[in-house]
Amino acid sequence: MLPERLVTFRNDSAFVELLNELSEPAETLITTGLSDGLNVEIASGLIESTQVVQRPPKEIE
Amino acid sequence: MPNGNGKIINMQNVHKVYDTGKVKVEALKGVNLKIQHGTFAAIIGPSGSGKSTLMNILGCLDVSTDGVYEFEGERVDGLHHNRLAEIRNEKVGFVFQNFNLLPYASALENVEMPLIFKGVHTKKRRERAAELLERVGLGHRLTHQAIELSGGEMQRVSIARALANNPSLILADEPTGNLDSKSGGEIIELFEELWQAGHTILIITHDVNIPKRTERVIRIKDGLLTEEANGNGNGNGGH
Amino acid sequence: MASMTFITQIFRDMRNQKLRTLLTIFGIVWGTAAVILLLSFGEGIQLNQQKAVRGLGEYIVIMWPGRTSKSFEGLPRNRRIRFKAQDAELLKSVPHMKAVSPEYSFWNARARVGRRDKLVSITGCWPIFSEIRNVIPKEGSRFINQEDIKKRRRVIFLGTDLAEELFPDIDPVGDYIQINNVPFLIVGVMKRKEQDSSYNGRDTRRTFIPSTTFKTMFGREYINNIVFQADAPERMPTVISGVYEAMGRKHKFDPADKQALSLWDTSEMETFFNTFFMAFRIFLGVIGAFTLIVGGIGISNIMNVVVEERTKEIGTKMALGAKKRFVRSQFIFETMFLTVIGGFVGFAFSYTVINLFPYLHLEEYVGTPTISVSVSVAAVSVLGVIGLVAGYFPARRASNLNPVEALRL
């Protein structure tokens, strides 16, 4: 289970951001299962307990 | 030895005209003057005789309007102001009636002044200034401010300052004018010592005691020079 | 070389003339502080206002349907144009279009939480609406996403003020709210923002649901308006004419018929705003610079007095062999030195004021002033020029003194 706010849905696919070898956020394709709108089941693409990147809210400048 | 065939000063028919716009005043009317190295001379004359004008031109503070002036063989009239400043700095040592010391600077700093303008390094400058103050008998007052010194002491500082760059000519304008007779006498003695050590000294003065001691006495009147041989001298220049 | 001697002499003069030195430096301190503070506050105010302007979105267009004013291909004029969600879909392919979203609106929906009851306005939109309109979810929140659209989920995103009023003291995310007696899951709350212009009300008082859910729930065929954003501010005109082309083809009107669509281009607002603030900051900068120039004139006058006082000393130095350029540089150096001290103190003073300013809690009105690089560069260059000019004229006078006359005094 993962908070749905960390998942990006685009063109019928789902992505999360993980840190790559250079410690930069990079998108990874995942497949999702059931969701209650707040939390979503991860069917594949993500191992349990992997740290998913959580970006701070954008600042208006 | 510099050029000039042993002559420091060679003036021929030097004129100085002050043009105020309305009137022209001719302060020097054709002065001829030769001064050899090692001379000790007094220039005397009443006020308004052209004494100060002569001193200013001799010291390269001012330039003549006509005639030829050579300082150690170098034609001075018409030189750039920077070169004149160099000549004043390296070849002329001024001693003024009012001493003209920087009042809040120490004796040492005052003596260092000409060395600064020459670009001498700080450490060497300090050493040289201390050595000169020692020589004029002020070795114990190096760090005193000028205003803390007596008149005689101030004049010694200014003599040390005049000697800083080992000039060819020491030019003194009424050096005893602001001193009591005792200090004045001591200053004259100091000049004598310097002369004996080989310096060329020219003193412009009212002081009757000075011409008695110099080897040459040059009189100036109405912008013209006359000269009399002195008892202890071997004068050879002028008219 | 001789700079140490310069400095010792300057310090000596400063000690001997304490009051005069203080007043001289004060002029520069005041001028420097004026330049820095005015420019910093100007910048702070501009940034603050810019945030408020951008609360609506950055370089966006809000487009409503209009009526045709020209007949086209046999169709009469004064024909009403109406938008559907497909129109937004169509506009995605306009060249240089960055983002588009349809916007459905419903006013006076009844929102109920427990016993609290409120009339709210509901917006149906796409996920991208969040980016176009700067409706930003706060920490732990999310906006509508693509899954919500696809599955027509009954999820809702609340404006900041509305969330606080309906759920005082608790985080509403995960709670339910009844909209016209239909329960909606709250998935996010908007991060607080300033917004100085709006349509359909302030975003802090609005609610947002998926466009598909909206359509189903309210049975609406037509959308109220479309919002879009170009990929760069300067591309906006191209994008707008592309929009007229595409919409004209679809709805059969002349792309030159401006009345067919009603556009609010906020980039015009931003351009006006930038021009206005440019002028405002130049105005402040000029005021500051004039204050500093007055300080510079003060320092120049003082230096003239100093030259007067030191005439004899200058004459002596010239007699001892100081060249004109030495005398000149001494006075320029001294002026620069005083200017630098004054400038430094002025900087320190401004820095302190600007750092203490946030404690007054006035950010909402005048923003947060900051000493930016451009402000510093401006202040330092004005200061440098003033020091140089203020020093140059007295220095030139000093170096042009005739040593004979200077000594005679």
Side-chain angles (χ1 to χ4, degrees), chain B residues 139-151:
Chain B
H140 58 299
R141 311 229 106 163
L142 301 183
T143 56
H144 283 66
Q145 287 190 327
I147 45 165
E148 296 170 339
L149 302 174
S150 71

Side-chain angles (χ1 to χ4, degrees), chain B residues 21-34:
Chain B
K22 283 179 187 162
V23 282
K24 287 186 179 179
V25 179
E26 197 171 14
L28 297 180
K29 300 171 177 169
V31 167
N32 294 300
L33 179 63
K34 291 184 174 66

